[in-house]
Amino acid sequence: MADLATTFAGIRSPNPFWLASAPPTDKAYNVERAFQAGWGGVVWKTLGEDPPVVNVSGPRYGAIHASDRRVIGFNNIELITDRPLQVNLDEIRAVKARWPDRAVVVSLMVPCEEPCWAGILRLVEETGADGVELNFGCPHGMSERGMGAAVGQVPEYVEMVVRWCKTHTRLPVIAKLTPNVTDIRKPAEAALRGGADAVSLINTINSIMGVDLDAMAPSPHTDGLGTHGGYCGAAVRPIALHMTAEIARSPETAGLPISAIGGIESWRDAAEFIALGAGTVQVCTAAMVYGFRIVEEMISGLSGFLDDRRYGSVAAMVGLATPKVTDWNRLNLDYAVKARINQDLCISCGRCHIACEDTSHQAITSAVDGVRRFEVIESECVGCNLCALVCPIADCITMEPLAVGVIDARTGRPVGSGNTWKDRA
């Protein structure tokens, strides 16, 4: 069987599945339940200075549901740990002693002053933890106090704090990046200049989940007032995949270890991040919605995939898809596909026709000889795949490439000529 064990920035774990710094890792009870379920590591919920922060006593979460009530987007306004620092430190020490084979990384956030970082790093080192994650990402509550995303949005601050931490600890330093920036590569480059051993991303995205139209206040609200929170869950996965790929393929940060976060719910989600350059993946929302045992499917699924593809280890597939991420102007504009409708699977709902007729290229007929039947007009089809996306039947509509050398009826040009950006330049 494939080896799921990972060594990430010098931190070993039996598999690449870690719990992210969040409510599920707030205390020893939760973390030990997670390890019993099979998680390879955890990032302990962010520690700060004493006295601890005070969280709201009331609704802290919001959600966007699919039609079947499945949670696809999640929001929280919870702050870093509200438990005393020493209590957390004692529990970290005890958990690591009982689970020496699991990765225990501690998330940290303190004021942007070197003595503050030096002091808390010394305390964390004494617990036997495997590494630290610097929380440069929290977008609410703490950022208003000059921490979290307020640091992560300024590359110079990221570099400065990372450099302080590398000076004051022997532990691996992971910089957790905020997605609330224009270009994720800039803080990643800054972290690398500061000496970071790895980066993790993405933290949550600034968001207001909705408005309570009876209270006329953002939802959730506390005593009639609401605030922006951090958005996560399956809906943010495409954003996280993009940002992971950008760091992995950038010449300035190529080779920098990445721990990927953002909407991971299954082994397949994890495999996609790994293929784009992640060495480990971190999960939060899915664990909160479904419980810790979801890791069982993740472990068995990824192991089976690695076996099927004859990858001997997780490391063997890290970044395999990264070279195929490119800029738009390098795409082959002479490559062509056309929609094909499988009439045996078609239920004649007409959604493909309506979508194409109203909003696309009028490339699907609505009837032939008076029979309700939908067919593609190849000369009008641009291969956009809108019809396949709106079709309610899996694989009923597929996008089929034209053979190399065939003349595309729509453009009058030969297909697959290799006329890429490089050739045109």
Side-chain angles (χ1 to χ4, degrees):
M1 295 181 63
D3 183 10
L4 294 187
T6 60
T7 300
F8 178 80
I11 303 169
R12 294 183 57 80
S13 60
N15 62 62
F17 301 110
W18 295 4
L19 284 175
S21 169
T25 63
D26 191 31
K27 49 181 168 297
Y29 178 84
N30 304 78
V31 171
E32 297 222 44
R33 283 180 60 83
F35 286 162
Q36 290 163 6
W39 292 89
V42 301
V43 182
W44 205 277
K45 189 176 181 184
T46 306
L47 309 186
E49 291 188 314
D50 275 332
V53 301
V54 178
N55 274 294
V56 298
S57 179
R60 302 177 184 182
Y61 307 127
I64 293 178
H65 296 93
S67 58
D68 61 357
R69 288 288 294 175
R70 183 171 67 89
V71 173
I72 57 176
F74 200 73
N75 168 285
N76 87 91
I77 61 168
E78 187 166 302
L79 303 181
I80 65 175
T81 185
D82 53 11
R83 304 166 70 235
L85 177 59
Q86 192 59 51
V87 170
N88 277 295
L89 294 170
D90 291 342
E91 290 186 2
I92 292 167
R93 180 182 295 106
V95 168
K96 183 59 188 178
R98 285 193 291 267
W99 297 87
D101 68 320
R102 307 303 171 93
V104 177
V105 176
V106 181
S107 177
L108 300 175
M109 184 195 297
V110 293
C112 206
E113 300 170 5
E114 186 172 1
C116 296
W117 286 98
I120 200 166
L121 285 166
R122 176 180 55 79
L123 296 175
V124 171
E125 272 199 15
E126 293 172 354
T127 67
D130 298 297
V132 292
E133 183 182 79
L134 313 184
N135 187 338
F136 297 146
C138 185
H140 57 273
M142 305 308 294
S143 56
E144 289 90 329
R145 310 177 196 200
M147 293 179 273
V151 177
Q153 290 168 334
V154 184
E156 293 80 6
Y157 291 173
V158 171
E159 179 179 354
M160 176 179 68
V161 175
V162 170
R163 197 177 302 279
W164 289 344
C165 292
K166 287 297 294 181
T167 299
H168 293 287
T169 185
R170 57 177 176 76
L171 295 175
V173 172
I174 304 168
K176 188 174 187 179
L177 307 181
T178 175
N180 300 299
V181 293
T182 303
D183 187 345
I184 195 65
R185 295 173 297 182
K186 299 308 179 185
E189 291 168 12
L192 185 60
R193 288 195 300 271
D197 299 285
V199 293
S200 59
L201 68 150
I202 60 174
N203 206 306
T204 53
I205 301 169
N206 269 326
S207 62
I208 292 177
M209 290 297 275
V211 175
D212 182 334
L213 294 177
D214 294 318
M216 280 299 168
S219 181
H221 51 81
T222 302
D223 194 23
L225 296 178
T227 185
H228 69 274
Y231 190 48
C232 51
V236 311
R237 187 164 59 246
I239 300 169
L241 284 166
H242 160 69
M243 291 188 171
T244 298
E246 286 300 281
I247 293 174
R249 76 187 187 99
S250 171
E252 285 73 21
T253 51
L256 179 64
I258 300 170
S259 186
I261 314 165
I264 297 163
E265 295 186 340
S266 69
W267 74 265
R268 185 175 292 275
D269 299 335
E272 291 179 6
F273 279 101
I274 293 168
L276 286 178
T280 64
V281 294
Q282 297 184 33
V283 178
C284 172
T285 305
M288 295 178 72
V289 173
Y290 302 112
F292 287 152
R293 292 189 64 181
I294 60 168
V295 77
E296 295 173 1
E297 180 274 342
M298 293 180 175
I299 291 171
S300 62
L302 183 60
S303 179
F305 175 78
L306 294 176
D307 286 343
D308 289 344
R309 299 301 175 91
R310 300 186 184 279
Y311 299 134
S313 65
V314 173
M317 70 169 290
V318 172
L320 290 182
T322 306
K324 295 183 180 179
V325 181
T326 190
D327 297 330
W328 191 96
N329 59 6
R330 292 185 178 273
L331 300 178
N332 181 4
L333 300 187
D334 289 323
Y335 176 78
V337 298
K338 303 292 181 180
R340 297 284 185 266
I341 300 175
N342 185 329
Q343 298 299 335
D344 293 332
L345 296 177
C346 181
I347 61 173
S348 300
C349 67
R351 290 181 64 182
C352 61
H353 166 69
I354 292 300
C356 189
E357 191 74 13
D358 285 356
T359 69
S360 196
H361 294 83
Q362 299 77 53
I364 298 179
T365 61
S366 60
V368 176
D369 297 330
V371 178
R372 186 172 174 81
R373 178 183 174 92
F374 302 95
E375 294 184 346
V376 176
I377 306 171
E378 187 170 297
S379 61
E380 299 298 325
C381 178
V382 302
C384 72
N385 86 322
L386 174 62
C387 57
L389 293 177
V390 302
C391 179
I393 305 300
D395 300 322
C396 178
I397 302 179
T398 55
M399 309 307 298
E400 305 294 333
L402 295 184
V404 175
V406 170
I407 302 298
D408 185 346
R410 186 180 64 86
T411 64
R413 298 166 65 183
V415 173
S417 65
N419 191 15
T420 63
W421 176 90
K422 184 176 180 180
D423 296 324
R424 291 194 300 277

